[in-house]
Coordinates of all heavy atoms in Angstrom, one line a residue:
M78 N -17.3 -164.7 43.3 CA -16.4 -163.4 43.2 C -16.8 -162.7 41.9 O -16.7 -163.4 40.8 CB -15.0 -163.7 43.3 CG -14.1 -162.5 43.2 SD -12.4 -163.0 43.5 CE -11.7 -161.4 43.7
S79 N -17.1 -161.5 41.9 CA -17.6 -160.9 40.7 C -16.4 -160.3 40.0 O -15.3 -160.0 40.5 CB -18.4 -159.6 41.1 OG -18.7 -158.9 39.9
T80 N -16.4 -160.5 38.6 CA -15.4 -160.0 37.7 C -15.7 -158.7 37.1 O -14.9 -158.2 36.3 CB -14.9 -161.1 36.7 OG1 -16.1 -161.3 35.9 CG2 -14.5 -162.3 37.2
N81 N -16.7 -158.1 37.5 CA -17.2 -156.8 36.9 C -16.3 -155.6 37.4 O -16.2 -155.7 38.7 CB -18.6 -156.4 37.2 CG -19.6 -157.5 36.5 OD1 -19.2 -158.0 35.5 ND2 -20.8 -157.7 37.0
L82 N -15.8 -154.9 36.5 CA -14.9 -153.8 37.1 C -15.7 -152.6 37.4 O -16.6 -152.2 36.6 CB -13.8 -153.5 36.1 CG -12.8 -154.6 35.7 CD1 -11.8 -154.2 34.7 CD2 -12.1 -155.0 36.9
T83 N -15.4 -151.9 38.4 CA -16.1 -150.7 38.8 C -15.5 -149.5 37.9 O -14.4 -149.7 37.4 CB -16.0 -150.4 40.3 OG1 -14.6 -150.0 40.5 CG2 -16.5 -151.5 41.1
P84 N -16.2 -148.3 37.9 CA -15.5 -147.2 37.2 C -14.3 -146.7 37.9 O -13.3 -146.2 37.3 CB -16.6 -146.1 37.4 CG -17.9 -146.9 37.5 CD -17.5 -148.2 38.3
Y85 N -14.0 -147.1 39.2 CA -12.7 -146.8 39.9 C -11.7 -147.7 39.3 O -10.6 -147.3 39.2 CB -12.9 -146.9 41.4 CG -13.9 -146.0 42.0 CD1 -15.1 -146.4 42.5 CD2 -13.7 -144.5 42.1 CE1 -16.1 -145.5 43.1 CE2 -14.6 -143.7 42.6 CZ -15.7 -144.2 43.1 OH -16.7 -143.3 43.6
D86 N -12.0 -148.9 39.1 CA -11.0 -149.9 38.6 C -10.6 -149.5 37.2 O -9.5 -149.8 36.8 CB -11.8 -151.3 38.6 CG -12.0 -151.9 40.0 OD1 -11.3 -151.5 40.9 OD2 -13.0 -152.6 40.1
T87 N -11.5 -149.0 36.3 CA -11.2 -148.8 34.9 C -10.5 -147.5 34.7 O -10.0 -147.1 33.7 CB -12.5 -148.9 34.1 OG1 -13.4 -147.9 34.6 CG2 -13.1 -150.3 34.2
G88 N -10.6 -146.6 35.8 CA -10.1 -145.2 35.7 C -11.1 -144.2 35.3 O -10.8 -143.0 35.0
M89 N -12.4 -144.6 35.0 CA -13.3 -143.7 34.6 C -13.7 -142.7 35.7 O -14.1 -141.6 35.5 CB -14.6 -144.4 34.1 CG -14.4 -145.2 32.8 SD -13.9 -144.1 31.5 CE -15.3 -143.1 31.2
K90 N -13.5 -143.1 37.0 CA -13.8 -142.2 38.2 C -12.6 -142.3 39.0 O -11.8 -143.2 39.1 CB -14.9 -142.8 38.9 CG -16.4 -142.5 38.4 CD -17.4 -142.9 39.4 CE -18.8 -142.5 38.8 NZ -19.8 -142.8 39.8
L91 N -12.3 -141.1 39.5 CA -11.1 -141.0 40.5 C -11.5 -141.4 41.8 O -12.7 -141.2 42.2 CB -10.7 -139.5 40.5 CG -10.2 -138.9 39.2 CD1 -9.9 -137.5 39.4 CD2 -9.1 -139.7 38.6
E92 N -10.6 -142.1 42.5 CA -10.8 -142.6 43.8 C -10.6 -141.6 44.9 O -9.6 -140.9 45.0 CB -9.9 -143.7 44.0 CG -10.1 -144.5 45.4 CD -11.2 -145.5 45.3 OE1 -11.4 -146.0 44.2 OE2 -11.9 -145.8 46.3
P93 N -11.7 -141.2 45.7 CA -11.5 -140.1 46.7 C -10.8 -140.6 48.0 O -10.8 -141.8 48.3 CB -13.0 -139.8 47.0 CG -13.7 -141.0 46.8 CD -13.1 -141.7 45.7
F94 N -9.9 -139.8 48.4 CA -9.2 -140.0 49.8 C -9.3 -138.8 50.7 O -8.9 -137.7 50.3 CB -7.7 -140.3 49.4 CG -6.8 -140.4 50.6 CD1 -6.9 -141.5 51.4 CD2 -6.1 -139.4 51.0 CE1 -6.1 -141.6 52.5 CE2 -5.3 -139.3 52.2 CZ -5.2 -140.6 52.9
K95 N -10.0 -138.9 51.8 CA -10.3 -137.9 52.7 C -9.0 -137.7 53.6 O -8.6 -138.6 54.1 CB -11.6 -138.2 53.5 CG -11.9 -137.2 54.5 CD -13.1 -137.6 55.2 CE -13.5 -136.6 56.4 NZ -14.5 -137.1 57.4
H96 N -8.7 -136.5 53.9 CA -7.7 -136.1 54.7 C -8.3 -136.1 56.2 O -9.4 -135.7 56.4 CB -7.1 -134.7 54.4 CG -6.2 -134.7 53.2 ND1 -4.8 -134.8 53.2 CD2 -6.5 -134.7 51.9 CE1 -4.3 -134.7 52.0 NE2 -5.4 -134.8 51.1
D97 N -7.4 -136.4 57.1 CA -7.9 -136.3 58.5 C -8.0 -134.8 58.9 O -7.0 -134.2 58.7 CB -7.1 -137.1 59.4 CG -7.3 -138.6 59.2 OD1 -8.3 -139.0 58.9 OD2 -6.2 -139.3 59.3
V98 N -9.0 -134.4 59.5 CA -9.0 -133.0 60.0 C -9.7 -133.1 61.4 O -10.5 -134.0 61.7 CB -9.9 -132.1 59.1 CG1 -9.3 -131.8 57.7 CG2 -11.3 -132.6 59.0
E99 N -9.4 -132.1 62.2 CA -10.0 -132.1 63.5 C -11.5 -131.7 63.4 O -11.8 -131.0 62.5 CB -9.3 -130.9 64.4 CG -7.8 -131.2 64.6 CD -7.0 -130.2 65.4 OE1 -7.8 -129.5 66.2 OE2 -5.9 -130.2 65.3
S100 N -12.3 -132.3 64.4 CA -13.7 -132.1 64.2 C -14.1 -130.6 64.3 O -15.2 -130.3 63.9 CB -14.4 -133.0 65.3 OG -14.0 -132.6 66.6
N101 N -13.3 -129.7 64.9 CA -13.7 -128.4 65.2 C -13.4 -127.5 64.0 O -13.7 -126.4 64.0 CB -13.1 -127.9 66.4 CG -11.6 -127.8 66.5 OD1 -11.0 -128.4 65.6 ND2 -11.1 -127.2 67.5
Q102 N -12.7 -128.1 62.9 CA -12.3 -127.2 61.9 C -13.5 -127.1 61.0 O -14.2 -128.0 60.8 CB -11.1 -127.8 61.1 CG -9.7 -127.8 61.9 CD -8.6 -128.3 61.1 OE1 -8.8 -129.2 60.3 NE2 -7.5 -127.8 61.2
A103 N -13.5 -126.0 60.3 CA -14.6 -125.7 59.3 C -14.1 -125.9 57.9 O -14.5 -125.2 57.0 CB -15.0 -124.2 59.5
T104 N -13.3 -126.9 57.7 CA -12.6 -127.2 56.4 C -12.7 -128.7 56.0 O -12.9 -129.5 56.9 CB -11.1 -126.8 56.3 OG1 -10.4 -127.6 57.2 CG2 -11.0 -125.4 56.7
G105 N -12.6 -129.0 54.8 CA -12.5 -130.4 54.3 C -11.6 -130.5 53.2 O -11.5 -129.5 52.4
K106 N -10.9 -131.5 53.1 CA -9.9 -131.7 52.0 C -9.9 -133.2 51.6 O -9.8 -134.1 52.3 CB -8.4 -131.3 52.5 CG -7.4 -131.3 51.5 CD -6.2 -130.7 52.1 CE -5.0 -130.7 51.0 NZ -3.8 -130.2 51.7
V107 N -10.1 -133.3 50.2 CA -10.2 -134.6 49.6 C -9.2 -134.6 48.3 O -9.3 -133.7 47.6 CB -11.5 -135.0 49.2 CG1 -11.6 -136.4 48.5 CG2 -12.5 -134.9 50.4
D108 N -8.4 -135.7 48.3 CA -7.6 -136.0 47.1 C -8.4 -137.0 46.3 O -9.1 -138.0 46.8 CB -6.3 -136.6 47.5 CG -5.2 -135.6 48.0 OD1 -5.4 -134.4 47.9 OD2 -4.3 -136.0 48.6
F109 N -8.3 -136.8 44.9 CA -8.9 -137.8 44.0 C -7.7 -138.5 43.3 O -6.9 -137.8 42.6 CB -9.9 -137.1 43.1 CG -11.1 -136.6 43.7 CD1 -11.2 -135.4 44.3 CD2 -12.2 -137.5 43.9 CE1 -12.3 -135.0 45.1 CE2 -13.3 -137.2 44.6 CZ -13.4 -135.9 45.1
D110 N -7.6 -139.7 43.4 CA -6.5 -140.6 42.9 C -6.9 -141.3 41.7 O -8.1 -141.8 41.6 CB -5.9 -141.4 43.9 CG -5.2 -140.7 45.1 OD1 -5.1 -139.5 45.0 OD2 -5.1 -141.3 46.2
D111 N -6.0 -141.5 40.7 CA -6.3 -142.4 39.6 C -6.1 -143.9 40.0 O -5.7 -144.2 41.1 CB -5.4 -142.0 38.4 CG -4.0 -142.2 38.5 OD1 -3.5 -142.8 39.5 OD2 -3.3 -141.6 37.7
N112 N -6.3 -144.8 39.1 CA -6.1 -146.1 39.5 C -4.7 -146.7 39.7 O -4.4 -147.8 40.0 CB -6.9 -147.2 38.4 CG -6.3 -146.8 36.9 OD1 -5.8 -145.8 36.8 ND2 -6.7 -147.7 36.1
F113 N -3.7 -145.7 39.5 CA -2.4 -146.0 39.8 C -1.9 -145.4 41.1 O -0.8 -145.6 41.6 CB -1.5 -145.4 38.7 CG -1.6 -145.9 37.3 CD1 -2.2 -145.2 36.4 CD2 -1.3 -147.2 37.0 CE1 -2.5 -145.7 35.1 CE2 -1.6 -147.7 35.8 CZ -2.2 -147.0 34.8
G114 N -2.9 -144.8 41.8 CA -2.6 -144.2 43.1 C -2.0 -142.7 43.1 O -1.6 -142.2 44.1
D115 N -1.9 -142.1 41.9 CA -1.4 -140.8 41.7 C -2.6 -139.7 41.9 O -3.6 -140.0 41.4 CB -0.9 -140.6 40.4 CG 0.4 -141.5 40.1 OD1 1.1 -141.7 41.0 OD2 0.5 -141.9 38.9
T116 N -2.3 -138.8 42.7 CA -3.3 -137.7 43.0 C -3.3 -136.8 41.8 O -2.4 -136.2 41.3 CB -3.0 -137.0 44.2 OG1 -2.9 -137.8 45.3 CG2 -4.0 -135.8 44.5
L117 N -4.6 -136.6 41.1 CA -4.8 -135.9 40.1 C -5.5 -134.6 40.4 O -5.3 -133.5 39.7 CB -5.7 -136.6 39.1 CG -5.2 -137.9 38.4 CD1 -6.0 -138.5 37.5 CD2 -3.9 -137.6 37.8
L118 N -6.2 -134.5 41.6 CA -7.0 -133.4 41.9 C -7.1 -133.3 43.4 O -7.3 -134.4 44.0 CB -8.3 -133.4 41.3 CG -9.3 -132.2 41.7 CD1 -8.8 -130.8 41.2 CD2 -10.7 -132.6 41.2
T119 N -6.9 -132.1 44.0 CA -7.2 -132.0 45.5 C -8.2 -130.8 45.6 O -8.1 -129.8 45.0 CB -5.9 -131.6 46.3 OG1 -4.9 -132.7 46.1 CG2 -6.2 -131.3 47.8
V120 N -9.3 -131.2 46.4 CA -10.4 -130.2 46.6 C -10.3 -129.9 48.0 O -10.3 -130.8 48.9 CB -11.8 -130.8 46.2 CG1 -12.8 -129.8 46.5 CG2 -11.7 -131.2 44.8
H121 N -10.3 -128.7 48.3 CA -10.2 -128.1 49.7 C -11.4 -127.2 49.9 O -11.4 -126.1 49.2 CB -8.9 -127.4 50.1 CG -8.8 -126.9 51.3 ND1 -8.3 -125.6 51.6 CD2 -9.1 -127.4 52.6 CE1 -8.3 -125.5 52.9 NE2 -8.7 -126.5 53.5
V122 N -12.3 -127.5 50.9 CA -13.5 -126.6 51.0 C -13.4 -125.9 52.4 O -13.1 -126.8 53.4 CB -14.8 -127.5 50.8 CG1 -16.0 -126.6 51.1 CG2 -14.9 -128.1 49.5
E123 N -13.7 -124.7 52.5 CA -13.7 -124.1 53.8 C -14.9 -123.2 53.9 O -15.3 -122.6 53.0 CB -12.3 -123.4 54.1 CG -12.0 -122.3 53.1 CD -10.6 -121.7 53.3 OE1 -10.4 -121.1 54.4 OE2 -9.8 -121.9 52.4
R124 N -15.3 -123.1 55.2 CA -16.5 -122.2 55.4 C -15.9 -120.7 55.4 O -14.9 -120.4 56.0 CB -17.1 -122.5 56.8 CG -18.2 -121.8 57.1 CD -18.9 -122.2 58.5 NE -19.4 -123.5 58.3 CZ -19.3 -124.5 59.2 NH1 -18.8 -124.2 60.4 NH2 -19.8 -125.7 58.9
H125 N -16.7 -119.8 54.6 CA -16.4 -118.5 54.5 C -16.9 -117.8 55.8 O -18.0 -118.1 56.2 CB -17.0 -117.8 53.3 CG -16.7 -116.4 53.2 ND1 -17.5 -115.4 53.7 CD2 -15.6 -115.7 52.7 CE1 -17.0 -114.1 53.4 NE2 -15.8 -114.4 52.8
L126 N -16.0 -116.9 56.4 CA -16.5 -116.2 57.6 C -16.6 -114.7 57.4 O -15.9 -114.1 56.6 CB -15.4 -116.5 58.8 CG -15.2 -117.9 59.1 CD1 -14.0 -117.9 60.1 CD2 -16.4 -118.6 59.7
N127 N -17.6 -114.2 58.0 CA -17.8 -112.7 58.0 C -16.6 -112.0 58.8 O -15.9 -112.7 59.4 CB -19.1 -112.3 58.6 CG -20.2 -112.7 57.7 OD1 -20.2 -112.6 56.4 ND2 -21.4 -113.0 58.3
P128 N -16.4 -110.7 58.5 CA -15.3 -110.1 59.3 C -15.5 -110.2 60.8 O -14.6 -110.2 61.6 CB -15.5 -108.6 59.0 CG -16.1 -108.5 57.6 CD -17.0 -109.8 57.7
D129 N -16.7 -110.5 61.3 CA -16.9 -110.7 62.8 C -16.6 -112.2 63.1 O -16.7 -112.4 64.4 CB -18.4 -110.3 63.2 CG -19.4 -111.1 62.4 OD1 -19.0 -112.1 61.7 OD2 -20.7 -110.8 62.7
G130 N -16.1 -112.9 62.2 CA -15.8 -114.3 62.5 C -16.9 -115.4 62.4 O -16.6 -116.5 62.7
L131 N -18.0 -114.9 62.1 CA -19.2 -115.8 62.1 C -19.4 -116.3 60.6 O -19.0 -115.7 59.7 CB -20.4 -115.1 62.5 CG -20.4 -114.7 64.0 CD1 -21.7 -113.9 64.3 CD2 -20.3 -115.9 65.0
P132 N -19.9 -117.6 60.5 CA -20.2 -118.1 59.2 C -21.1 -117.2 58.3 O -22.1 -116.7 58.9 CB -20.7 -119.4 59.4 CG -20.5 -119.8 60.8 CD -20.3 -118.6 61.6
S133 N -20.7 -117.0 57.0 CA -21.5 -116.1 56.2 C -22.5 -116.9 55.4 O -23.4 -116.3 54.7 CB -20.4 -115.4 55.2 OG -20.0 -116.4 54.3
G134 N -22.4 -118.2 55.4 CA -23.4 -119.0 54.7 C -22.7 -119.4 53.3 O -23.4 -120.1 52.6
F135 N -21.6 -119.0 53.0 CA -20.9 -119.3 51.8 C -19.7 -120.2 52.0 O -19.2 -120.3 53.2 CB -20.4 -118.0 51.1 CG -21.5 -117.2 50.6 CD1 -21.7 -116.1 51.4 CD2 -22.1 -117.3 49.3 CE1 -22.8 -115.2 50.9 CE2 -23.2 -116.6 49.0 CZ -23.4 -115.4 49.8
Y136 N -19.3 -120.8 51.0 CA -18.0 -121.8 51.1 C -17.0 -121.4 50.1 O -17.4 -120.9 49.0 CB -18.5 -123.3 50.9 CG -19.3 -123.7 52.1 CD1 -20.6 -123.6 52.0 CD2 -18.8 -124.3 53.3 CE1 -21.5 -124.0 53.1 CE2 -19.5 -124.6 54.2 CZ -20.9 -124.6 54.3 OH -21.7 -124.9 55.3
I137 N -15.8 -121.5 50.4 CA -14.6 -121.3 49.4 C -14.2 -122.6 49.0 O -13.9 -123.5 49.8 CB -13.5 -120.5 50.2 CG1 -14.0 -119.1 50.5 CG2 -12.4 -120.4 49.1 CD1 -13.1 -118.4 51.5
I138 N -14.1 -122.9 47.7 CA -13.6 -124.0 47.1 C -12.3 -123.8 46.3 O -12.3 -123.1 45.4 CB -14.8 -124.7 46.2 CG1 -16.1 -125.0 46.8 CG2 -14.2 -126.0 45.6 CD1 -17.3 -125.3 46.1
N139 N -11.3 -124.6 46.8 CA -10.0 -124.4 46.2 C -9.7 -125.8 45.5 O -9.9 -126.8 46.0 CB -9.0 -124.3 47.3 CG -9.2 -123.0 48.0 OD1 -9.0 -121.9 47.5 ND2 -9.5 -123.1 49.3
L140 N -9.3 -125.7 44.3 CA -8.9 -126.9 43.4 C -7.4 -126.8 43.1 O -6.9 -125.7 42.7 CB -9.7 -126.9 42.2 CG -11.2 -126.9 42.3 CD1 -11.9 -126.8 40.9 CD2 -11.8 -128.1 43.0
A141 N -6.8 -127.9 43.1 CA -5.4 -127.9 42.9 C -5.2 -129.3 42.2 O -5.6 -130.3 42.5 CB -4.5 -127.9 44.1
G142 N -4.5 -129.2 41.0 CA -4.2 -130.4 40.2 C -2.9 -130.2 39.3 O -2.4 -129.1 39.2
D143 N -2.5 -131.3 38.8 CA -1.3 -131.3 38.0 C -1.4 -130.4 36.7 O -0.5 -129.8 36.4 CB -0.9 -132.8 37.5 CG -0.4 -133.5 38.8 OD1 0.0 -132.9 39.7 OD2 -0.3 -134.8 38.6
N144 N -2.5 -130.6 36.1 CA -2.6 -129.8 34.8 C -3.3 -128.5 34.9 O -3.2 -127.7 34.0 CB -3.3 -130.8 33.6 CG -4.7 -130.9 33.9 OD1 -5.3 -130.3 34.9 ND2 -5.3 -131.8 33.2
G145 N -4.0 -128.2 36.0 CA -4.6 -126.9 36.2 C -5.8 -126.7 35.4 O -6.3 -125.5 35.3
K146 N -6.3 -127.6 34.7 CA -7.5 -127.4 33.8 C -8.7 -128.2 34.4 O -8.6 -129.4 34.7 CB -7.2 -128.0 32.3 CG -6.2 -127.3 31.7 CD -5.9 -127.9 30.3 CE -4.8 -127.1 29.6 NZ -4.6 -127.7 28.2
F147 N -9.8 -127.5 34.7 CA -10.9 -128.1 35.3 C -12.2 -127.6 34.5 O -12.2 -126.4 34.2 CB -10.9 -127.6 36.8 CG -9.7 -127.9 37.5 CD1 -8.9 -126.9 37.9 CD2 -9.4 -129.2 37.9 CE1 -7.7 -127.2 38.6 CE2 -8.3 -129.5 38.6 CZ -7.6 -128.5 39.0
L148 N -13.1 -128.4 34.5 CA -14.5 -128.1 34.1 C -15.4 -128.3 35.3 O -15.4 -129.4 35.8 CB -14.9 -129.0 32.9 CG -16.3 -128.9 32.5 CD1 -16.6 -127.5 32.0 CD2 -16.7 -129.9 31.5
I149 N -16.0 -127.2 35.7 CA -16.9 -127.2 36.9 C -18.4 -127.2 36.5 O -18.8 -126.2 35.8 CB -16.6 -126.1 37.8 CG1 -15.1 -126.2 38.2 CG2 -17.4 -126.1 39.1 CD1 -14.5 -125.0 39.0
A150 N -19.1 -128.1 36.9 CA -20.6 -128.2 36.6 C -21.2 -128.0 38.0 O -20.9 -128.7 38.9 CB -21.1 -129.4 36.0
W151 N -22.2 -127.1 38.2 CA -22.8 -126.8 39.3 C -24.3 -127.0 39.2 O -25.0 -126.5 38.4 CB -22.5 -125.4 39.8 CG -23.0 -125.1 41.2 CD1 -24.1 -124.5 41.6 CD2 -22.2 -125.1 42.3 NE1 -24.2 -124.3 43.0 CE2 -22.9 -124.7 43.4 CE3 -20.8 -125.5 42.6 CZ2 -22.4 -124.7 44.7 CZ3 -20.3 -125.6 43.8 CH2 -21.1 -125.1 44.9
D152 N -24.7 -127.8 40.2 CA -26.2 -128.1 40.2 C -26.7 -127.8 41.6 O -26.2 -128.4 42.6 CB -26.5 -129.6 39.8 CG -28.0 -129.9 39.8 OD1 -28.8 -129.0 40.1 OD2 -28.3 -131.1 39.4
E153 N -27.6 -126.9 41.7 CA -28.2 -126.4 43.1 C -29.2 -127.3 43.6 O -29.7 -127.1 44.7 CB -28.6 -124.9 43.0 CG -27.6 -124.0 42.5 CD -28.1 -122.6 42.6 OE1 -29.2 -122.3 43.2 OE2 -27.4 -121.7 42.0
E154 N -29.4 -128.3 43.0 CA -30.6 -129.3 43.5 C -29.9 -130.2 44.5 O -29.0 -130.7 44.4 CB -31.3 -130.0 42.5 CG -32.2 -129.1 41.7 CD -33.0 -129.7 40.6 OE1 -33.2 -130.9 40.7 OE2 -33.3 -129.1 39.6

């Protein structure tokens, strides 16, 4: 049995928890919990639709958290 702690064990990374969604929904929602099981951040992603109801190719990303402070780094690769 390994005694090496993972970044999730030490609290360096938040543990993701995926919400159940119906397969036909164009959304996804994930909570990120600390090592105590408290949710620190919820990310909700949904497909943006054109006025005609068809996907526009863009996504809307909603962030919700206790402290409301986020640093977002975007890499297009």
Side-chain angles (χ1 to χ4, degrees):
M78 181 178 192
S79 176
T80 59
N81 294 335
L82 296 177
T83 69
Y85 298 110
D86 297 327
T87 62
M89 291 300 295
K90 286 189 176 181
L91 300 178
E92 188 79 29
F94 172 76
K95 180 182 172 192
H96 288 258
D97 291 330
V98 295
E99 295 179 23
S100 61
N101 63 346
Q102 288 184 332
T104 65
K106 189 174 181 181
V107 177
D108 286 339
F109 290 90
D110 299 343
D111 63 14
N112 55 343
F113 300 108
D115 296 325
T116 298
L117 299 180
L118 175 68
T119 299
V120 179
H121 180 226
V122 180
E123 59 186 294
R124 185 174 293 147
H125 180 265
L126 302 177
N127 288 324
D129 59 5
L131 297 174
S133 68
F135 295 99
Y136 293 89
I137 300 169
I138 301 171
N139 299 290
L140 303 176
D143 287 342
N144 68 9
K146 296 179 181 178
F147 305 104
L148 174 62
I149 300 172
W151 191 269
D152 186 353
E153 294 185 19
E154 292 184 26

